[in-house]
Amino acid sequence: MASSTLICDSEPWKELRVHVEDIKKTHLRDLMNDTSRCHSMMMEFDGILLDYSRQRATTGTLNKLFNLAEAARVKEKINRMFNGERINSTENRSVLHVALRAPRDAVINSDGKNVVPEVWQVLDKIRDFSERVRSGAWVGATGKALKDVVAIGIGGSFLGPLFVHTALQTEAEAIECARGRQLRFLANVDPIDIARNITGLNPETTLVVVVSKTFTTAETMLNARTLREWISSALGPQAVAKHMVAVSTNLKLVEQFGIDPNNAFAFWDWVGGRYSVCSAVGVLPLSLQYGFPIVEKFLKGASSVDQHFYSAPFEKNVPVLLGLLSVWNVSFLGYSARAILPYSQALEKFAPHIQQVSMESNGKGVSIDGVPLPYETGEIDFGEPGTNGQHSFYQLIHQGRVIPCDFIGVVKSQQPVYLKDEVVSNHDELMSNFFAQPDALAYGKTPEQLQKENVAEHLVSHKTFSGNRPSLSILLPSLNAYNIGQLLAIYEHRVAVQGFVWGINSFDQWGVELGKSLASQVRRQLHASRKKGESVEGFNFSTKTLITTYLEASADVPSDPSTLLPKI
C-alpha cells in the first residue's frame, strides 16, 4: 500500500507557503541593499564562487528551506544513496554514479559488495586500450593507425560525453593531447546524422564505439549496423573486430554483432544513462580522443564535489543550496522554467545535457510511493551561451515572463585574445555582460529613471524593466578537465536534492517508454505496407491518415532494397 505522506503536508512546507506572501511584497532592489544578507549568500568551494544573493529570498527563507530539507529527510536520502541502498525503488536499483569517480581506495558498497575495485578494473582497461590505440600499437585491418572515433549512443550515452568533449576541445592541454585526432557522436537515427558523421572519414582509420547497455536500443543498434556495413563494405566483414568496440553488459549480443567480447567495456545497473558520462560510456571515447590522464582529472573534479555534497553542512553545501533554491522557485514562487546561461562557448552543450539530467529525472507526476502529486515537480531547462542568448531570448527574460537564471562564468579564458588599442580584451567584453545581466534582471529600470533621462513619454512603458527577476552566479577559476567535472557533479546533485525534497524518484524514466512501444507498432505497419502492400490498420483516424499519406508519398522506396549508404 502506497504511503499518502507528502512533503506538502509538512509544517515547513506550510510555513513557506505563508512566507512567500511576505517575499512577494519585497523587491530585489531592496534585498540587494542589505550588504550582510548579500555577504551571507556568497560562498566558495574548491576555487568556485557561488553568489545567490539575487534570489528572491532572505536569510529567513533559507532557514525555512533548511527546515523543509530536514522534514524531507534529505540528509538521510543522501546517505542512503552513497551507501548503495536501492533508492531507485521502481527499478530496485542502487544509484551510485558517485562510485564511477571515487578514488581507488574508496569503499562504496552495493548489496554488501565494494564496487570501487570493479570500477577501476574497467578504468584500467580503458587506460590500456586507449593508450594502445593512441600510440598505434592497435591498428585497423589494413595496418593503419586509428585516428578517428565515432561514438554511437543516444540520450545519456550521448549528451554527457558530447558536453565534456565540446568543453575540452579548446582547452590548451587537451588540444595537445588530441592533435591529429577526431571524435564524433552519432545519436539520431535520422540517416542525415549518419551522413554528417562519416563525411570526410576513412573506414581504414576509424574506430566505432557502440554504447548500449543491453545492446538492444533500437536507434543505436540500427546506427551500429549501418556503420558496420560502412566498414565491412570497404574493408571486408573481418575488419569489424578491429574497427568496432562496445560499451555494454550484454556480451552475448556483442559477440553476435561481430565485436570481440574482450573489446567490450562494462558498466552497471546502478548507473543511470543520464548519469553515465563518468562510466565507460564517456570515459572510453574521451580517453581515445584526449588520453586517459586528461579524463582522470575530469573524474577527480567530479569526485571533489561528491565528497563536498556528502559531508558539507547544508548552509555551506553548493548542490544542496542550489537544489533548495530551485524548489523555492518552482514550488513556492511558481516559476516553471530555468535558463542555464554559460558565458563560455566551450560550454555550449552544457544546457542540453542538463536538460536531460533535470527533466528526465524530475519530470514526475507521482511520489516515489506512487501517490499523485498535488504540486508541480521539475522545471523546463533551456539555455545558450552568452552573449548569443542575449540576442535571442533575453527579451522574454527581461520583460516577459519571469525565468530564474543560472549565470556561469569563467575567470580565465581557454583561448585569450588581446587586440592593441581595444578598451578591454575579448574575454573582458564577454565577462562585462556576465556581471551586468544579473543586475539588470534584479534592479530593472523604473519609469522615474526613464523620465529623468528624458525618454519620450509614449516610450516609457516600453522601456520600463520591472526587475525583481531572480538569478544566481557561478564563477569558475578556469575551464579545464577538473573544473568541467566539478560543474557536472554540482548539477547532478542539485537535481537529486530537488527530487529528494519533492519525494519523487529522480532515477527512473518510465516516461520515455510509451512512445517507444507505440513506435514499434508503427514500425511493424511500415514493414507490412512496404513489403506486402498491406493497408494501414489498427490506428486512430488521424494517425492512419498521416501514415497512409507518408507511404503514398514515398512509394518510390523499393520493397526489397539493396544496401545504400550516405553519398556525402
Side-chain angles (χ1 to χ4, degrees):
M1 177 69 82
S3 167
S4 60
T5 304
L6 297 174
I7 191 62
C8 61
D9 297 326
S10 69
E11 282 306 310
W13 184 284
K14 293 173 183 175
E15 287 178 15
L16 282 161
R17 273 270 173 245
V18 174
H19 175 67
V20 78
E21 296 306 315
D22 292 330
I23 292 296
K24 287 178 179 177
K25 298 171 188 174
T26 67
H27 196 287
L28 275 169
R29 292 186 201 112
D30 301 315
L31 293 176
M32 293 299 292
N33 283 335
D34 186 341
T35 303
S36 63
R37 169 193 167 274
C38 292
H39 183 265
S40 72
M41 292 185 175
M42 289 184 172
M43 66 157 294
E44 191 172 351
F45 165 72
D46 199 9
I48 297 174
L49 178 63
L50 168 65
D51 176 5
Y52 56 97
S53 61
R54 292 175 191 80
Q55 291 286 306
R56 294 186 65 189
T58 63
T59 53
T61 311
L62 267 295
N63 289 331
K64 293 179 189 301
L65 286 170
F66 293 140
N67 292 338
L68 182 68
E70 186 175 352
R73 307 194 315 279
V74 170
K75 181 57 181 170
E76 176 190 327
K77 292 172 182 177
I78 293 171
N79 290 341
R80 291 182 64 209
M81 182 175 87
F82 276 79
N83 290 338
E85 294 185 39
R86 299 189 179 194
I87 63 171
N88 178 356
S89 56
T90 62
E91 296 178 304
N92 195 29
R93 293 174 180 172
S94 302
V95 176
L96 282 178
H97 44 279
V98 295
L100 299 172
R101 55 257 189 155
R104 195 183 288 268
D105 59 354
V107 177
I108 299 177
N109 290 317
S110 178
D111 296 328
K113 177 185 177 184
N114 182 13
V115 300
V116 176
E118 290 180 48
V119 169
W120 275 95
Q121 278 181 358
V122 175
L123 291 176
D124 288 338
K125 183 177 177 180
I126 291 172
R127 184 201 306 261
D128 176 66
F129 178 74
S130 60
E131 286 178 357
R132 282 190 290 148
V133 172
R134 289 170 56 82
S135 68
W138 174 294
V139 294
T142 63
K144 292 184 178 180
L146 301 177
K147 298 290 189 182
D148 307 311
V149 173
V150 178
I152 305 176
I154 199 164
S157 300
F158 157 64
L159 290 163
L162 177 64
F163 143 60
V164 179
H165 170 52
T166 307
L168 285 172
Q169 273 183 309
T170 43
E171 197 271 330
E173 185 183 9
I175 288 172
E176 284 303 312
C177 294
R179 200 166 295 282
R181 310 194 64 84
Q182 288 188 77
L183 173 59
R184 301 183 183 183
F185 292 90
L186 172 56
N188 201 332
V189 75
D190 187 336
I192 290 171
D193 203 14
I194 297 169
R196 289 177 173 175
N197 270 282
I198 64 175
T199 297
L201 296 187
N202 180 354
E204 291 183 280
T205 59
T206 301
L207 179 68
V208 176
V209 179
V210 184
V211 183
S212 175
K213 183 185 288 187
T214 62
F215 235 59
T216 58
T217 308
E219 302 98 324
T220 296
M221 296 318 299
L222 179 54
N223 281 338
R225 291 191 294 273
T226 304
L227 287 210
R228 180 179 63 183
E229 182 62 31
W230 177 67
I231 290 167
S232 59
S233 63
L235 307 175
Q238 76 287 346
V240 170
K242 297 293 288 183
H243 289 264
M244 299 188 82
V245 298
V247 177
S248 180
T249 55
N250 194 334
L251 296 184
K252 181 179 178 181
L253 289 186
V254 166
E255 187 170 22
Q256 289 177 7
F257 185 88
I259 294 174
D260 186 342
N262 291 318
N263 299 328
F265 299 82
F267 60 120
W268 304 270
D269 276 346
W270 41 259
V271 182
R274 57 196 173 275
Y275 297 98
S276 67
V277 64
C278 294
S279 74
V281 168
V283 173
L284 177 58
L286 292 166
S287 294
L288 287 164
Q289 177 69 4
Y290 298 106
F292 187 83
I294 292 277
V295 181
E296 191 170 17
K297 292 177 183 178
F298 162 72
L299 297 176
K300 286 180 177 177
S303 181
S304 168
V305 171
D306 293 342
Q307 295 310 308
H308 166 74
F309 176 54
Y310 180 68
S311 61
F314 282 3
E315 62 271 16
K316 292 293 183 183
N317 192 310
V318 173
V320 169
L321 287 167
L322 295 182
L324 292 176
L325 289 167
S326 289
V327 170
W328 169 243
N329 285 328
V330 172
S331 298
F332 298 95
L333 290 170
Y335 304 141
S336 59
R338 174 176 60 195
I340 299 171
L341 309 170
Y343 276 66
S344 170
Q345 192 64 30
L347 294 174
E348 64 178 304
K349 296 299 182 183
F350 184 60
H353 176 50
I354 299 306
Q355 272 183 338
Q356 190 202 19
V357 173
S358 172
M359 295 168 74
E360 193 169 85
S361 294
N362 289 341
K364 307 292 169 62
V366 298
S367 75
I368 198 165
D369 299 312
V371 178
L373 297 175
Y375 50 87
E376 298 286 343
T377 66
E379 64 249 282
I380 302 161
D381 285 287
F382 70 99
E384 282 288 328
T387 58
N388 294 7
Q390 293 175 197
H391 296 267
S392 174
F393 50 79
Y394 276 41
Q395 169 63 47
L396 184 146
I397 289 174
H398 278 287
Q399 290 186 306
R401 63 180 66 215
V402 178
I403 297 174
C405 298
D406 293 358
F407 290 94
I408 303 168
V410 182
V411 173
K412 294 183 179 179
S413 174
Q414 289 179 337
Q415 295 291 324
V417 172
Y418 305 98
L419 297 181
K420 191 174 185 296
D421 298 328
E422 289 288 341
V423 176
V424 292
S425 70
N426 296 47
H427 189 64
D428 280 351
E429 178 65 29
L430 174 73
M431 293 302 288
S432 296
N433 288 275
F434 168 81
F435 295 118
Q437 289 290 340
D439 277 344
L441 289 166
Y443 288 88
K445 200 160 193 179
T446 66
E448 292 76 20
Q449 288 173 305
L450 293 164
Q451 286 160 356
K452 286 181 181 178
E453 295 173 4
N454 297 318
V455 171
E457 192 61 36
H458 71 283
L459 290 177
V460 167
S461 61
H462 294 281
K463 292 191 172 187
T464 296
F465 291 75
S466 64
N468 210 26
R469 293 162 184 263
S471 68
L472 58 86
S473 300
I474 298 172
L475 189 60
L476 303 170
S478 59
L479 198 59
N480 56 30
Y482 186 86
N483 305 136
I484 295 164
Q486 289 177 302
L487 188 62
L488 172 79
I490 286 171
Y491 273 77
E492 286 179 342
H493 296 320
R494 174 194 199 168
V495 166
V497 168
Q498 291 174 255
F500 289 156
V501 173
W502 283 321
I504 59 178
N505 185 355
S506 298
F507 307 106
D508 64 9
Q509 58 282 331
W510 299 108
V512 305
E513 299 299 325
L514 179 59
K516 291 198 293 188
S517 64
L518 292 178
S520 297
Q521 181 185 351
V522 177
R523 188 185 303 118
R524 288 191 295 269
Q525 179 66 65
L526 293 175
H527 175 81
S529 297
R530 297 272 197 217
K531 301 282 187 182
K532 305 171 188 176
E534 293 183 9
S535 59
V536 179
E537 300 295 342
F539 299 90
N540 61 54
F541 175 80
S542 175
T543 304
K544 179 178 179 177
T545 302
L546 287 167
I547 293 174
T548 301
T549 301
Y550 171 71
L551 286 166
E552 290 174 352
S554 61
D556 57 335
V557 173
S559 60
D560 189 18
S562 56
T563 296
L564 175 67
L565 292 172
K567 295 178 180 178
I568 291 181

